[in-house]
Structure formats: structure tokens, C-alpha cells
PDB file of all heavy atoms in Angstrom:
ATOM      1  N   GLY K   1     108.508  83.996  98.672  1.00 96.00           N
ATOM      2  CA  GLY K   1     109.568  84.153  99.649  1.00 96.00           C
ATOM      3  C   GLY K   1     109.501  85.466 100.413  1.00 96.00           C
ATOM      4  O   GLY K   1     108.628  86.319 100.199  1.00 96.00           O
ATOM      5  N   ALA K   2     110.471  85.656 101.318  1.00 96.00           N
ATOM      6  CA  ALA K   2     110.476  86.829 102.185  1.00 96.00           C
ATOM      7  C   ALA K   2     110.567  88.120 101.381  1.00 96.00           C
ATOM      8  O   ALA K   2     109.904  89.120 101.705  1.00 96.00           O
ATOM      9  CB  ALA K   2     111.640  86.725 103.166  1.00 96.00           C
ATOM     10  N   ARG K   3     111.379  88.134 100.315  1.00 98.00           N
ATOM     11  CA  ARG K   3     111.506  89.347  99.518  1.00 98.00           C
ATOM     12  C   ARG K   3     110.190  89.654  98.795  1.00 98.00           C
ATOM     13  O   ARG K   3     109.765  90.819  98.731  1.00 98.00           O
ATOM     14  CB  ARG K   3     112.645  89.190  98.509  1.00 98.00           C
ATOM     15  CG  ARG K   3     112.874  90.378  97.583  1.00 98.00           C
ATOM     16  CD  ARG K   3     113.293  91.639  98.325  1.00 98.00           C
ATOM     17  NE  ARG K   3     112.297  92.682  98.247  1.00 98.00           N
ATOM     18  CZ  ARG K   3     112.490  93.928  98.671  1.00 98.00           C
ATOM     19  NH1 ARG K   3     113.656  94.272  99.206  1.00 98.00           N
ATOM     20  NH2 ARG K   3     111.532  94.825  98.587  1.00 98.00           N
ATOM     21  N   GLU K   4     109.553  88.631  98.262  1.00 98.00           N
ATOM     22  CA  GLU K   4     108.277  88.855  97.587  1.00 98.00           C
ATOM     23  C   GLU K   4     107.220  89.341  98.575  1.00 98.00           C
ATOM     24  O   GLU K   4     106.401  90.215  98.242  1.00 98.00           O
ATOM     25  CB  GLU K   4     107.807  87.572  96.900  1.00 98.00           C
ATOM     26  CG  GLU K   4     106.527  87.748  96.092  1.00 98.00           C
ATOM     27  CD  GLU K   4     106.138  86.486  95.339  1.00 98.00           C
ATOM     28  OE1 GLU K   4     106.897  86.105  94.427  1.00 98.00           O
ATOM     29  OE2 GLU K   4     105.102  85.894  95.679  1.00 98.00           O
ATOM     30  N   GLN K   5     107.225  88.801  99.780  1.00 98.00           N
ATOM     31  CA  GLN K   5     106.273  89.259 100.781  1.00 98.00           C
ATOM     32  C   GLN K   5     106.527  90.713 101.155  1.00 98.00           C
ATOM     33  O   GLN K   5     105.575  91.488 101.366  1.00 98.00           O
ATOM     34  CB  GLN K   5     106.347  88.365 102.013  1.00 98.00           C
ATOM     35  CG  GLN K   5     105.863  86.941 101.748  1.00 98.00           C
ATOM     36  CD  GLN K   5     106.018  86.043 102.955  1.00 98.00           C
ATOM     37  OE1 GLN K   5     105.701  86.447 104.064  1.00 98.00           O
ATOM     38  NE2 GLN K   5     106.526  84.844 102.748  1.00 98.00           N
ATOM     39  N   LEU K   6     107.789  91.104 101.216  1.00 98.00           N
ATOM     40  CA  LEU K   6     108.109  92.504 101.479  1.00 98.00           C
ATOM     41  C   LEU K   6     107.651  93.379 100.321  1.00 98.00           C
ATOM     42  O   LEU K   6     107.133  94.487 100.527  1.00 98.00           O
ATOM     43  CB  LEU K   6     109.611  92.667 101.713  1.00 98.00           C
ATOM     44  CG  LEU K   6     110.103  94.097 101.970  1.00 98.00           C
ATOM     45  CD1 LEU K   6     109.403  94.707 103.180  1.00 98.00           C
ATOM     46  CD2 LEU K   6     111.628  94.114 102.163  1.00 98.00           C
ATOM     47  N   ASP K   7     107.828  92.889  99.085  1.00 98.00           N
ATOM     48  CA  ASP K   7     107.325  93.629  97.916  1.00 98.00           C
ATOM     49  C   ASP K   7     105.837  93.918  98.054  1.00 98.00           C
ATOM     50  O   ASP K   7     105.368  95.026  97.766  1.00 98.00           O
ATOM     51  CB  ASP K   7     107.555  92.820  96.637  1.00 98.00           C
ATOM     52  CG  ASP K   7     109.002  92.762  96.205  1.00 98.00           C
ATOM     53  OD1 ASP K   7     109.828  93.514  96.755  1.00 98.00           O
ATOM     54  OD2 ASP K   7     109.312  91.938  95.323  1.00 98.00           O
ATOM     55  N   THR K   8     105.076  92.906  98.466  1.00 98.00           N
ATOM     56  CA  THR K   8     103.629  93.078  98.607  1.00 98.00           C
ATOM     57  C   THR K   8     103.322  94.214  99.566  1.00 98.00           C
ATOM     58  O   THR K   8     102.478  95.075  99.293  1.00 98.00           O
ATOM     59  CB  THR K   8     102.977  91.780  99.114  1.00 98.00           C
ATOM     60  OG1 THR K   8     103.254  90.726  98.197  1.00 98.00           O
ATOM     61  CG2 THR K   8     101.475  91.945  99.252  1.00 98.00           C
ATOM     62  N   ARG K   9     103.998  94.239 100.684  1.00 98.00           N
ATOM     63  CA  ARG K   9     103.781  95.298 101.664  1.00 98.00           C
ATOM     64  C   ARG K   9     104.186  96.663 101.106  1.00 98.00           C
ATOM     65  O   ARG K   9     103.526  97.673 101.374  1.00 98.00           O
ATOM     66  CB  ARG K   9     104.547  94.982 102.946  1.00 98.00           C
ATOM     67  CG  ARG K   9     103.985  93.770 103.690  1.00 98.00           C
ATOM     68  CD  ARG K   9     104.876  93.305 104.830  1.00 98.00           C
ATOM     69  NE  ARG K   9     104.241  92.193 105.523  1.00 98.00           N
ATOM     70  CZ  ARG K   9     103.477  92.303 106.603  1.00 98.00           C
ATOM     71  NH1 ARG K   9     103.277  93.500 107.138  1.00 98.00           N
ATOM     72  NH2 ARG K   9     102.921  91.253 107.153  1.00 98.00           N
ATOM     73  N   GLU K  10     105.250  96.685 100.323  1.00 98.00           N
ATOM     74  CA  GLU K  10     105.699  97.958  99.753  1.00 98.00           C
ATOM     75  C   GLU K  10     104.739  98.452  98.674  1.00 98.00           C
ATOM     76  O   GLU K  10     104.511  99.659  98.546  1.00 98.00           O
ATOM     77  CB  GLU K  10     107.124  97.821  99.215  1.00 98.00           C
ATOM     78  CG  GLU K  10     108.146  97.625 100.329  1.00 98.00           C
ATOM     79  CD  GLU K  10     109.580  97.562  99.838  1.00 98.00           C
ATOM     80  OE1 GLU K  10     109.811  97.609  98.607  1.00 98.00           O
ATOM     81  OE2 GLU K  10     110.486  97.469 100.694  1.00 98.00           O
ATOM     82  N   VAL K  11     104.151  97.545  97.908  1.00 98.00           N
ATOM     83  CA  VAL K  11     103.149  97.955  96.923  1.00 98.00           C
ATOM     84  C   VAL K  11     101.912  98.496  97.636  1.00 98.00           C
ATOM     85  O   VAL K  11     101.312  99.499  97.204  1.00 98.00           O
ATOM     86  CB  VAL K  11     102.774  96.783  95.996  1.00 98.00           C
ATOM     87  CG1 VAL K  11     101.576  97.134  95.121  1.00 98.00           C
ATOM     88  CG2 VAL K  11     103.954  96.395  95.112  1.00 98.00           C
ATOM     89  N   ILE K  12     101.507  97.859  98.734  1.00 98.00           N
ATOM     90  CA  ILE K  12     100.380  98.361  99.518  1.00 98.00           C
ATOM     91  C   ILE K  12     100.683  99.770 100.017  1.00 98.00           C
ATOM     92  O   ILE K  12      99.844 100.682  99.920  1.00 98.00           O
ATOM     93  CB  ILE K  12     100.092  97.418 100.703  1.00 98.00           C
ATOM     94  CG1 ILE K  12      99.524  96.095 100.197  1.00 98.00           C
ATOM     95  CG2 ILE K  12      99.120  98.067 101.692  1.00 98.00           C
ATOM     96  CD1 ILE K  12      99.422  95.019 101.270  1.00 98.00           C
ATOM     97  N   GLY K  13     101.887  99.983 100.535  1.00 98.00           N
ATOM     98  CA  GLY K  13     102.279 101.308 101.017  1.00 98.00           C
ATOM     99  C   GLY K  13     102.301 102.331  99.903  1.00 98.00           C
ATOM    100  O   GLY K  13     101.861 103.479 100.092  1.00 98.00           O
ATOM    101  N   TRP K  14     102.822 101.923  98.730  1.00 98.00           N
ATOM    102  CA  TRP K  14     102.851 102.833  97.579  1.00 98.00           C
ATOM    103  C   TRP K  14     101.433 103.231  97.172  1.00 98.00           C
ATOM    104  O   TRP K  14     101.147 104.413  96.952  1.00 98.00           O
ATOM    105  CB  TRP K  14     103.569 102.149  96.417  1.00 98.00           C
ATOM    106  CG  TRP K  14     103.563 102.933  95.130  1.00 98.00           C
ATOM    107  CD1 TRP K  14     104.464 103.879  94.735  1.00 98.00           C
ATOM    108  CD2 TRP K  14     102.594 102.836  94.079  1.00 98.00           C
ATOM    109  NE1 TRP K  14     104.130 104.377  93.494  1.00 98.00           N
ATOM    110  CE2 TRP K  14     102.981 103.755  93.067  1.00 98.00           C
ATOM    111  CE3 TRP K  14     101.457 102.070  93.885  1.00 98.00           C
ATOM    112  CZ2 TRP K  14     102.245 103.914  91.892  1.00 98.00           C
ATOM    113  CZ3 TRP K  14     100.722 102.233  92.720  1.00 98.00           C
ATOM    114  CH2 TRP K  14     101.114 103.139  91.735  1.00 98.00           C
ATOM    115  N   ALA K  15     100.542 102.238  97.081  1.00 98.00           N
ATOM    116  CA  ALA K  15      99.166 102.521  96.663  1.00 98.00           C
ATOM    117  C   ALA K  15      98.471 103.442  97.657  1.00 98.00           C
ATOM    118  O   ALA K  15      97.752 104.376  97.266  1.00 98.00           O
ATOM    119  CB  ALA K  15      98.392 101.210  96.520  1.00 98.00           C
ATOM    120  N   ALA K  16      98.675 103.207  98.943  1.00 98.00           N
ATOM    121  CA  ALA K  16      98.015 104.020  99.961  1.00 98.00           C
ATOM    122  C   ALA K  16      98.483 105.468  99.935  1.00 98.00           C
ATOM    123  O   ALA K  16      97.730 106.379 100.312  1.00 98.00           O
ATOM    124  CB  ALA K  16      98.258 103.418 101.345  1.00 98.00           C
ATOM    125  N   ALA K  17      99.722 105.701  99.473  1.00 98.00           N
ATOM    126  CA  ALA K  17     100.297 107.048  99.488  1.00 98.00           C
ATOM    127  C   ALA K  17      99.977 107.864  98.246  1.00 98.00           C
ATOM    128  O   ALA K  17     100.286 109.071  98.204  1.00 98.00           O
ATOM    129  CB  ALA K  17     101.817 106.939  99.658  1.00 98.00           C
ATOM    130  N   GLN K  18      99.351 107.274  97.225  1.00 98.00           N
ATOM    131  CA  GLN K  18      99.071 108.009  95.988  1.00 98.00           C
ATOM    132  C   GLN K  18      97.939 109.011  96.198  1.00 98.00           C
ATOM    133  O   GLN K  18      97.053 108.811  97.027  1.00 98.00           O
ATOM    134  CB  GLN K  18      98.722 107.040  94.870  1.00 98.00           C
ATOM    135  CG  GLN K  18      99.818 106.036  94.537  1.00 98.00           C
ATOM    136  CD  GLN K  18     101.151 106.694  94.239  1.00 98.00           C
ATOM    137  OE1 GLN K  18     101.270 107.505  93.320  1.00 98.00           O
ATOM    138  NE2 GLN K  18     102.170 106.353  95.027  1.00 98.00           N
ATOM    139  N   ARG K  19      97.967 110.085  95.408  1.00 98.00           N
ATOM    140  CA  ARG K  19      96.965 111.151  95.552  1.00 98.00           C
ATOM    141  C   ARG K  19      95.564 110.644  95.257  1.00 98.00           C
ATOM    142  O   ARG K  19      94.579 111.200  95.750  1.00 98.00           O
ATOM    143  CB  ARG K  19      97.303 112.317  94.623  1.00 98.00           C
ATOM    144  CG  ARG K  19      97.388 111.921  93.153  1.00 98.00           C
ATOM    145  CD  ARG K  19      97.680 113.093  92.236  1.00 98.00           C
ATOM    146  NE  ARG K  19      97.860 112.679  90.856  1.00 98.00           N
ATOM    147  CZ  ARG K  19      96.876 112.350  90.039  1.00 98.00           C
ATOM    148  NH1 ARG K  19      95.618 112.372  90.477  1.00 98.00           N
ATOM    149  NH2 ARG K  19      97.118 111.970  88.800  1.00 98.00           N
ATOM    150  N   TRP K  20      95.436 109.566  94.453  1.00 98.00           N
ATOM    151  CA  TRP K  20      94.114 109.058  94.106  1.00 98.00           C
ATOM    152  C   TRP K  20      93.603 108.022  95.101  1.00 98.00           C
ATOM    153  O   TRP K  20      92.571 107.405  94.891  1.00 98.00           O
ATOM    154  CB  TRP K  20      94.095 108.451  92.699  1.00 98.00           C
ATOM    155  CG  TRP K  20      95.340 107.754  92.228  1.00 98.00           C
ATOM    156  CD1 TRP K  20      96.240 108.225  91.327  1.00 98.00           C
ATOM    157  CD2 TRP K  20      95.828 106.454  92.635  1.00 98.00           C
ATOM    158  NE1 TRP K  20      97.253 107.309  91.131  1.00 98.00           N
ATOM    159  CE2 TRP K  20      97.026 106.219  91.917  1.00 98.00           C
ATOM    160  CE3 TRP K  20      95.369 105.491  93.525  1.00 98.00           C
ATOM    161  CZ2 TRP K  20      97.767 105.050  92.061  1.00 98.00           C
ATOM    162  CZ3 TRP K  20      96.101 104.328  93.682  1.00 98.00           C
ATOM    163  CH2 TRP K  20      97.277 104.115  92.965  1.00 98.00           C
ATOM    164  N   SER K  21      94.330 107.842  96.210  1.00 98.00           N
ATOM    165  CA  SER K  21      93.942 106.845  97.206  1.00 98.00           C
ATOM    166  C   SER K  21      93.537 107.501  98.517  1.00 98.00           C
ATOM    167  O   SER K  21      94.145 108.485  98.953  1.00 98.00           O
ATOM    168  CB  SER K  21      95.093 105.874  97.464  1.00 98.00           C
ATOM    169  OG  SER K  21      94.769 104.956  98.495  1.00 98.00           O
ATOM    170  N   THR K  22      92.511 106.946  99.168  1.00 98.00           N
ATOM    171  CA  THR K  22      92.120 107.406 100.496  1.00 98.00           C
ATOM    172  C   THR K  22      93.069 106.909 101.573  1.00 98.00           C
ATOM    173  O   THR K  22      92.965 107.320 102.729  1.00 98.00           O
ATOM    174  CB  THR K  22      90.706 106.897 100.843  1.00 98.00           C
ATOM    175  OG1 THR K  22      90.709 105.464 100.838  1.00 98.00           O
ATOM    176  CG2 THR K  22      89.674 107.423  99.857  1.00 98.00           C
ATOM    177  N   GLY K  23      93.969 106.023 101.196  1.00 98.00           N
ATOM    178  CA  GLY K  23      94.855 105.409 102.173  1.00 98.00           C
ATOM    179  C   GLY K  23      94.330 104.096 102.705  1.00 98.00           C
ATOM    180  O   GLY K  23      95.024 103.397 103.439  1.00 98.00           O
ATOM    181  N   LYS K  24      93.085 103.751 102.313  1.00 98.00           N
ATOM    182  CA  LYS K  24      92.514 102.459 102.690  1.00 98.00           C
ATOM    183  C   LYS K  24      92.688 101.488 101.530  1.00 98.00           C
ATOM    184  O   LYS K  24      92.239 101.761 100.415  1.00 98.00           O
ATOM    185  CB  LYS K  24      91.037 102.607 103.035  1.00 98.00           C
ATOM    186  CG  LYS K  24      90.774 103.389 104.311  1.00 98.00           C
ATOM    187  CD  LYS K  24      89.285 103.397 104.649  1.00 98.00           C
ATOM    188  CE  LYS K  24      89.027 104.088 105.973  1.00 98.00           C
ATOM    189  NZ  LYS K  24      87.582 104.057 106.330  1.00 98.00           N
ATOM    190  N   VAL K  25      93.314 100.328 101.802  1.00 98.00           N
ATOM    191  CA  VAL K  25      93.656  99.370 100.752  1.00 98.00           C
ATOM    192  C   VAL K  25      93.023  98.013 101.069  1.00 98.00           C
ATOM    193  O   VAL K  25      93.041  97.558 102.211  1.00 98.00           O
ATOM    194  CB  VAL K  25      95.182  99.223 100.623  1.00 98.00           C
ATOM    195  CG1 VAL K  25      95.547  98.133  99.613  1.00 98.00           C
ATOM    196  CG2 VAL K  25      95.814 100.550 100.229  1.00 98.00           C
ATOM    197  N   GLY K  26      92.465  97.395 100.035  1.00 98.00           N
ATOM    198  CA  GLY K  26      92.020  96.009 100.109  1.00 98.00           C
ATOM    199  C   GLY K  26      92.825  95.194  99.120  1.00 98.00           C
ATOM    200  O   GLY K  26      93.540  95.753  98.278  1.00 98.00           O
ATOM    201  N   MET K  27      92.723  93.887  99.192  1.00 98.00           N
ATOM    202  CA  MET K  27      93.421  93.031  98.239  1.00 98.00           C
ATOM    203  C   MET K  27      92.459  92.017  97.658  1.00 98.00           C
ATOM    204  O   MET K  27      91.553  91.521  98.339  1.00 98.00           O
ATOM    205  CB  MET K  27      94.600  92.309  98.900  1.00 98.00           C
ATOM    206  CG  MET K  27      95.733  93.218  99.327  1.00 98.00           C
ATOM    207  SD  MET K  27      97.192  92.280  99.885  1.00 98.00           S
ATOM    208  CE  MET K  27      97.822  91.685  98.309  1.00 98.00           C
ATOM    209  N   SER K  28      92.660  91.703  96.369  1.00 98.00           N
ATOM    210  CA  SER K  28      91.808  90.747  95.666  1.00 98.00           C
ATOM    211  C   SER K  28      92.670  89.788  94.859  1.00 98.00           C
ATOM    212  O   SER K  28      93.886  89.948  94.752  1.00 98.00           O
ATOM    213  CB  SER K  28      90.828  91.484  94.742  1.00 98.00           C
ATOM    214  OG  SER K  28      91.529  92.048  93.636  1.00 98.00           O
ATOM    215  N   GLY K  29      92.007  88.785  94.269  1.00 96.00           N
ATOM    216  CA  GLY K  29      92.697  87.839  93.404  1.00 96.00           C
ATOM    217  C   GLY K  29      92.591  86.419  93.922  1.00 96.00           C
ATOM    218  O   GLY K  29      92.272  86.175  95.093  1.00 96.00           O
ATOM    219  N   GLY K  30      92.869  85.476  93.028  1.00 96.00           N
ATOM    220  CA  GLY K  30      92.723  84.074  93.368  1.00 96.00           C
ATOM    221  C   GLY K  30      94.015  83.305  93.281  1.00 96.00           C
ATOM    222  O   GLY K  30      94.976  83.731  92.634  1.00 96.00           O
ATOM    223  N   SER K  31      94.042  82.162  93.951  1.00 96.00           N
ATOM    224  CA  SER K  31      95.143  81.225  93.884  1.00 96.00           C
ATOM    225  C   SER K  31      96.421  81.870  94.435  1.00 96.00           C
ATOM    226  O   SER K  31      96.476  82.230  95.590  1.00 96.00           O
ATOM    227  CB  SER K  31      95.312  80.732  92.452  1.00 96.00           C
ATOM    228  OG  SER K  31      96.159  79.612  92.397  1.00 96.00           O
ATOM    229  N   TYR K  32      97.444  82.031  93.603  1.00 97.00           N
ATOM    230  CA  TYR K  32      98.697  82.630  94.058  1.00 97.00           C
ATOM    231  C   TYR K  32      98.449  84.015  94.639  1.00 97.00           C
ATOM    232  O   TYR K  32      98.990  84.373  95.690  1.00 97.00           O
ATOM    233  CB  TYR K  32      99.664  82.709  92.881  1.00 97.00           C
ATOM    234  CG  TYR K  32     101.114  82.963  93.236  1.00 97.00           C
ATOM    235  CD1 TYR K  32     102.040  81.920  93.236  1.00 97.00           C
ATOM    236  CD2 TYR K  32     101.569  84.240  93.544  1.00 97.00           C
ATOM    237  CE1 TYR K  32     103.382  82.151  93.534  1.00 97.00           C
ATOM    238  CE2 TYR K  32     102.900  84.481  93.845  1.00 97.00           C
ATOM    239  CZ  TYR K  32     103.808  83.438  93.839  1.00 97.00           C
ATOM    240  OH  TYR K  32     105.137  83.667  94.140  1.00 97.00           O
ATOM    241  N   ALA K  33      97.603  84.799  93.950  1.00 97.00           N
ATOM    242  CA  ALA K  33      97.273  86.135  94.451  1.00 97.00           C
ATOM    243  C   ALA K  33      96.506  86.052  95.761  1.00 97.00           C
ATOM    244  O   ALA K  33      96.593  86.952  96.604  1.00 97.00           O
ATOM    245  CB  ALA K  33      96.465  86.907  93.407  1.00 97.00           C
TER     246      ALA K  33
END
């Protein structure tokens, strides 16, 4: 749903902002993911 899709974007933003990240994010996984 819309809230889950927003969560995905927020997790991407969180990951990109961490000190161990270059700010470039990819996504992986199968089926639902």
C-alpha cells in the first residue's frame, strides 16, 4: 500500500544518509521484494 511504499522511500533515504554510505543506493530481492 501507499504507506508501505513511503516506508521504502524512507528506508532508501535513511540508508543514503548513513556515514557508511556513498549516497548511492541500489535495491535487490525477489518476488515481493
Side-chain angles (χ1 to χ4, degrees):
R3 179 63 246 188
E4 184 176 294
Q5 293 177 44
L6 179 58
D7 288 349
T8 301
R9 292 170 177 266
E10 292 183 357
V11 171
I12 290 171
W14 175 88
Q18 300 306 301
R19 58 178 175 77
W20 34 255
S21 176
T22 61
K24 292 185 176 182
V25 175
M27 293 188 74
S28 71
S31 193
Y32 195 102

